[in-house]
Amino acid sequence: MNMNELLSASPLPSGLLAGWPAALELGYAVVQGRTVPVHRRHQGPLRVQKHFIDGHGQCQHIVVHPPGGMAGGDRLTLDIHLAEGSAVLLTSPGAAKWYDGFGRASSQQLRVEQLPGSLLEWLPQETILYAGSVVALDNRFQLQGDARLLAGEVMCLGRPASAERFDRGCWQQSGEVWRDDKLLWCEHSHVPGDSPLLASPVGMGGHSVLATLLWAGPDLPPELHQACLELPCAGRAAASQLPGVWLARFIGDSAEAGHHWLRACRDLIYPFSHGRAASQPRIWAS
Amino acid sequence: MTALLPLLQLLRLASPGLPIGGFSYSQGLESALELGLVHNAASARRWLADVLQGPVCQFDAAVLVQALRAVAAADAVELSRLNQRYLASRDSREQRQETVQMGYSLRQLLASLPESQAMCWPAGLAGEEICLPAAWAVAAQMLGIAEREAVTALLWSWLENQVMVLLKAMPMGQTAGQQLLSALLPVLTTAVERAISLPAAQHSNFAPGLMWAAMKHESQYSRLFRS
């Protein structure tokens, strides 16, 4: 069933179809050698916690969605802007849960613009799609000049711990990474709950977690790429250096295993991407 | 010119004898064999059916349909956009090199054929790397092949090549290979029709298992194929 059919099957009155929109705009710039938030505007339930600037001048921000989960009809919009030379890490306090939409679609749109010299880590905690969620996720990273990006996500289809498979609903995702006017990398996923690719070895092979780590910047040195390939993990992982983008994927059965692999890759890459050893935001430990 | 000419051009475009190098790529299948994802006739049939109905139909063929329409409308900007998008959608270095090499070879071939004299190469693609679906769309226009037939030809040449990979690498016997084709031709016809009517919002190259296999092929020790 496609998204339109799901929507037209909705039994709810039109007033409820509007859902709960929320939007957040964040802007960062370098002030006296440190990156600080210079623009912050929110509408609806989407906020950031007080920022933290680490000893290297990188600004860490935790994006919070207080309702704790997205219901059918909800729409989230994030616009993030990094001025020249700024360094930012964005994460979240916990899993983003997308509940059964009972036929109503919900969406998240992320727009990131990075000016030359900026460096962003976009590393939210896992996204969980409950059975019946009808979700459109749309991420676009626009890099200018020599801006660099380290973006990771852990996508959980259903809740295997509760024996719930993602067998109803629809997961739609588009991702784009641009540098100046050139599209470096894109993904287009349209995966209804009855897709044969959820069980097929061509697709998820019956597994429920797909993690991705993407680096847009100078090519990874071959020995670093090799070290990432050799990382032990509780799943199937692989990576490839594409023109302008290094892409690594993990297929497994738990968000923890996905995060463990993703953060181990990040630890290896960090001296190359950031010129120092990686440290983990404290929120990841809780 | 006779009524048979478009059919002959179609057969020629879909032929494994078309010198664009398809035989040297397994598109992740050699790796799927090495990794045990494909190990016998039944698992090969399932693998090919799922790749065909999945990313090959919902992305490769769907992008080709858009490219054919862009070429027919002489919309060079749209063709260039589709070309860039397809190149950016490749999940592994070898998959990208494969489509770039085959696209390049098809462009070089077309330039040397008398059929190309009546048509200029679209301006937006002149200095660019070109993916196979974009080059295929231009080829279809030059050779007078209609949309449905051009999509069918791309999927057929993909399928025939995949079966040839199985004959060499699994290995599978000639007759078993033909039986596999018999089982998959109905899937192929469905995939063609679906690709032709697929809305852009439903384009999908989601195939993490195939991606995993294609990436693993880069470090596979013993290889017959370049992808």
Side-chain angles (χ1 to χ4, degrees):
Chain A
M1 194 185 287
N2 68 33
M3 204 165 280
N4 286 334
E5 286 163 348
L6 284 165
L7 286 173
S8 63
S10 167
L12 290 159
S14 60
L16 285 176
L17 289 171
W20 199 0
L24 181 63
E25 294 174 19
L26 297 170
Y28 301 90
V30 179
V31 176
Q32 293 175 340
R34 308 188 317 163
T35 298
V36 295
V38 292
H39 174 73
R40 198 175 341 180
R41 176 184 297 162
H42 73 86
Q43 179 197 339
L46 195 58
R47 312 282 165 90
V48 278
Q49 292 181 355
K50 173 98 181 88
H51 65 278
F52 165 74
I53 301 173
D54 73 9
H56 305 277
Q58 182 192 48
C59 182
Q60 294 186 6
H61 239 158
I62 297 171
V63 178
V64 185
H65 184 242
M70 270 61 77
D74 288 357
R75 284 175 286 118
L76 302 184
T77 309
L78 284 103
D79 282 288
I80 293 156
H81 185 271
L82 271 67
E84 290 192 5
S86 57
V88 176
L89 184 156
L90 290 171
T91 186
S92 56
K97 296 169 186 159
W98 297 76
Y99 299 126
D100 188 334
F102 298 103
R104 294 183 299 159
S106 44
S107 67
Q108 177 175 298
Q109 178 182 285
L110 170 68
R111 293 287 177 266
V112 173
E113 183 165 26
Q114 292 184 238
L115 297 191
S118 65
L119 174 53
L120 174 66
E121 289 184 79
W122 171 256
L123 297 167
Q125 309 246 29
E126 67 270 24
T127 299
I128 302 174
L129 301 187
Y130 284 50
S133 59
V134 180
V135 176
L137 306 172
D138 176 12
N139 304 320
R140 187 193 297 165
F141 298 90
Q142 175 73 57
L143 281 57
Q144 293 185 17
D146 62 350
R148 289 159 296 156
L149 167 70
L150 185 64
E153 68 169 22
V154 175
M155 180 64 63
C156 308
L157 301 173
R159 294 177 298 152
S162 309
E164 177 189 282
R165 294 187 302 124
F166 182 74
D167 54 6
R168 298 176 292 116
C170 188
W171 169 36
Q172 190 171 332
Q173 179 158 335
S174 67
E176 296 180 355
V177 177
W178 294 78
R179 186 174 298 285
D180 301 321
D181 294 329
K182 194 169 172 62
L183 182 62
L184 292 181
W185 177 83
C186 65
E187 64 176 349
H188 300 261
S189 298
H190 184 268
V191 187
D194 61 0
S195 170
L197 289 175
L198 291 169
S200 168
V202 171
M204 293 296 292
H207 300 285
S208 61
V209 173
L210 178 64
T212 303
L213 186 64
L214 179 150
W215 161 250
D219 284 5
L220 246 60
E223 61 277 12
L224 186 48
H225 171 69
Q226 189 59 36
C228 290
L229 295 184
E230 289 169 5
L231 278 174
C233 74
R236 294 171 169 175
S240 190
Q241 177 67 59
L242 296 155
V245 163
W246 180 83
L247 179 69
R249 298 268 202 185
F250 163 95
I251 305 169
D253 298 302
S254 81
E256 291 72 20
H259 281 305
H260 190 267
W261 165 83
L262 194 155
R263 289 166 189 172
C265 277
R266 176 176 175 267
D267 287 349
L268 286 175
I269 292 169
Y270 222 75
F272 175 72
S273 63
H274 287 70
R276 60 180 187 267
S279 62
Q280 303 210 342
R282 270 180 302 172
I283 192 87
W284 290 359
S286 58
Chain B
M1 294 280 278
T2 76
L4 280 179
L5 195 53
L7 173 61
L8 288 166
Q9 294 285 25
L10 176 66
L11 291 169
R12 168 207 211 171
L13 184 64
S15 165
L18 190 77
I20 60 171
F23 62 88
S24 61
Y25 299 100
S26 90
Q27 310 194 307
L29 183 51
E30 182 176 37
S31 180
L33 287 159
E34 171 81 11
L35 296 164
L37 299 175
V38 174
H39 50 88
N40 58 16
S43 57
R45 174 176 167 176
R46 182 182 188 196
W47 179 268
L48 293 186
D50 290 345
V51 176
L52 179 53
Q53 296 173 95
V56 166
C57 165
Q58 294 176 61
F59 203 77
D60 298 26
V63 169
L64 173 62
V65 169
Q66 289 186 311
L68 285 160
R69 291 171 187 171
V71 172
D75 188 344
V77 173
E78 171 69 355
L79 186 61
S80 181
R81 185 190 73 80
L82 292 165
N83 185 53
Q84 195 178 105
R85 187 155 292 269
Y86 188 84
L87 290 172
S89 75
R90 299 300 84 192
D91 286 314
S92 77
R93 184 165 43 83
E94 290 182 351
Q95 287 175 313
R96 180 167 171 133
Q97 288 168 346
E98 169 191 313
T99 198
V100 167
Q101 182 270 305
M102 291 176 75
Y104 173 83
S105 298
L106 184 52
R107 167 156 64 178
Q108 294 297 103
L109 174 67
L110 291 172
S112 67
L113 298 180
E115 288 89 338
S116 71
Q117 302 314 311
M119 181 182 159
C120 293
W121 191 263
L125 297 179
E128 298 283 312
E129 286 186 325
I130 181 164
C131 68
L132 181 62
W136 198 269
V138 176
Q141 176 86 358
M142 286 181 178
L143 302 177
I145 297 169
E147 179 178 287
R148 177 170 278 103
E149 284 72 15
V151 178
T152 307
L154 183 72
L155 298 201
W156 164 254
S157 63
W158 170 83
L159 177 59
E160 187 179 38
N161 188 58
Q162 290 278 282
V163 172
M164 295 302 288
V165 170
L166 291 171
L167 298 192
K168 287 180 210 160
M170 199 158 93
M172 175 182 266
Q174 299 273 359
T175 303
Q178 289 297 317
Q179 288 165 345
L180 187 56
L181 285 176
S182 293
L184 291 171
L185 286 184
V187 180
L188 194 151
T189 62
T190 307
V192 169
E193 297 305 331
R194 182 162 185 225
I196 285 172
S197 60
L198 196 68
Q202 291 181 32
H203 286 195
S204 181
N205 63 348
F206 174 82
L210 172 62
M211 182 194 312
W212 179 63
M215 284 175 165
K216 294 288 273 187
H217 191 263
E218 291 177 14
S219 52
Q220 188 168 326
Y221 177 67
S222 170
R223 306 148 39 111
L224 297 171
F225 298 94
R226 294 163 74 187
S227 73

